[in-house]
Amino acid sequence: MANIKSAKKRILVNQTKADRNKAIRSGVKTAVKKVYAAIDANDKEAAKTALVNATSAIDKATMKGVYHKNYASRKISRLNLAVNKMA
């Protein structure tokens, strides 16, 4: 355990940020799962609405610095491709 006051604060701040990032990542994973669940159910309309929600969640996570922009672009691109293949 740290003895210096600033080191103790860093531990607390890092834990807070880690918890925030974990919550955001979890939300993105849930949104992506909903897209794939709609694809598996062959429900085109549900897949499209889930895709919009997932894209929004991924973009927000990227703006907050949780994901790298290239990772986000790749994820969104793959989701779009999966939804478009349904047709």
Side-chain angles (χ1 to χ4, degrees):
M1 185 64 193
N3 292 324
I4 299 169
K5 185 177 181 182
S6 62
K8 290 178 184 177
K9 182 180 178 187
R10 290 307 324 156
I11 290 170
L12 292 174
V13 169
N14 287 338
Q15 184 61 47
T16 303
K17 288 183 178 182
D19 291 342
R20 172 182 161 266
N21 290 345
K22 189 183 289 187
I24 292 170
R25 273 196 204 99
S26 176
V28 169
K29 284 181 186 177
T30 302
V32 170
K33 283 179 188 175
K34 286 182 182 177
V35 174
Y36 285 119
I39 291 171
D40 290 340
N42 247 352
D43 190 354
K44 183 102 172 147
E45 289 306 312
K48 284 185 177 182
T49 56
L51 175 66
V52 171
N53 292 337
T55 302
S56 175
I58 293 169
D59 283 338
K60 286 177 184 173
T62 304
M63 282 188 276
K64 291 177 182 176
V66 177
Y67 291 129
H68 191 274
K69 63 177 185 159
N70 291 353
Y71 174 83
S73 295
R74 184 175 67 242
K75 201 81 164 154
I76 291 169
S77 177
R78 288 178 180 170
L79 284 172
N80 274 316
L81 186 66
V83 171
N84 290 337
K85 274 188 177 179
M86 283 182 67

